Amino acid sequence: MSAEDDRHSARNASATDDCKNSKSGAYLDAQISLTGDNAGFAGQVYVHTFGHLALGHVNAAGAPEALVPNKIRIGTNGRLAVEKGTTVNANCGITVEGEGARLVARTYARAGVDDCSEYELPMPITGDYGLEKVGSGSVKLSGTYSAGNLVVSEGTLQLATGFSCAPSLAITVKSGATLTI
C-alpha cells in the first residue's frame, strides 16, 4: 500500500475503522472518529485544514512505547476532541502546525464518538501556533505546553497538575469562558 493509498483510505474511514494497515500515516480532511485499538499503527495522524478528529480509544492514534512528539499533527483550522472517559496515550504528542487549531469539548449527534464534553490531554503539545478551546465542555491540559498562545472561547480549560509552559505564554479568556489552575 502506498502513502497515497494510506491517506485515501484514512480519509474515507468510518467511525469504527482503524489505522492498523497504514504504515506512513493517516491524512484527515473530514470529520472522523477513531474508536478502535490501533496499537499497531506506527505513522502520524495529520488533521488537515478544517479536518476534525475525535479519539475514542487509548490507542486510537497508535501505542508508541516512547514519546513521539508529532504523532498527532493539527493543521490550519483543524479540530481535535476526545471521547469522555477515554484516557489518551500520553506518548502521542501533539504538534500544532497551523493557525485556528481548536480543542473541541461538546456532544455530537453522530455515530462513533458522540460525547466529547470532558477530557484530558496528558501529552506534550508543541508547535508554532496556538490552540483555541471551543465548546461548552471542559478540557484539561496536564502535559508540557510549548505551542503558541491559548484562547479559551467557550466552556472550561483546566491547567492541571503536571501542566508546564513558558512564563511568556499568553492565555486569553473570553467572556463566559473559564480558566482553572
Side-chain angles (χ1 to χ4, degrees):
M1 180 180 282
S2 72
E4 183 61 32
D5 291 336
D6 285 344
R7 287 192 294 269
H8 179 72
S9 60
R11 186 178 308 139
N12 294 310
S14 71
T16 57
D17 284 341
D18 56 36
C19 302
K20 289 180 184 174
N21 296 320
S22 178
K23 302 293 183 212
S24 63
Y27 181 85
L28 309 173
D29 61 358
Q31 290 190 7
I32 188 167
S33 299
L34 297 178
T35 59
D37 182 353
N38 296 314
F41 176 63
Q44 295 176 321
V45 177
Y46 182 48
V47 185
H48 193 53
T49 304
F50 292 103
H52 187 126
L53 172 64
L55 302 174
H57 189 281
V58 63
N59 296 326
E65 294 180 16
L67 176 64
V68 179
N70 58 352
K71 182 73 170 162
I72 301 170
R73 298 167 47 210
I74 305 174
T76 302
N77 294 312
R79 292 161 176 79
L80 176 67
V82 177
E83 184 171 35
K84 185 175 181 175
T86 298
T87 302
V88 180
N89 188 321
N91 285 331
C92 293
I94 296 172
T95 301
V96 185
E97 299 182 348
E99 58 188 25
R102 294 172 177 88
L103 300 176
V104 182
R106 66 177 192 166
T107 56
Y108 294 90
R110 65 175 186 213
V113 176
D114 59 358
D115 185 356
C116 298
S117 63
E118 182 180 337
Y119 59 90
E120 179 176 359
L121 296 176
M123 70 281 287
I125 300 173
T126 62
D128 294 329
Y129 297 91
L131 288 168
E132 179 182 9
K133 170 23 195 104
V134 297
S136 60
S138 176
V139 174
K140 181 189 302 185
L141 301 180
S142 57
T144 302
Y145 186 88
S146 59
N149 296 329
L150 289 168
V151 176
V152 187
S153 293
E154 302 169 319
T156 300
L157 179 66
Q158 179 181 356
L159 306 181
T161 302
F163 177 83
S164 63
C165 65
S168 60
L169 176 68
I171 302 174
T172 302
V173 181
K174 296 192 176 179
S175 178
T178 304
L179 174 68
T180 60
I181 300 174

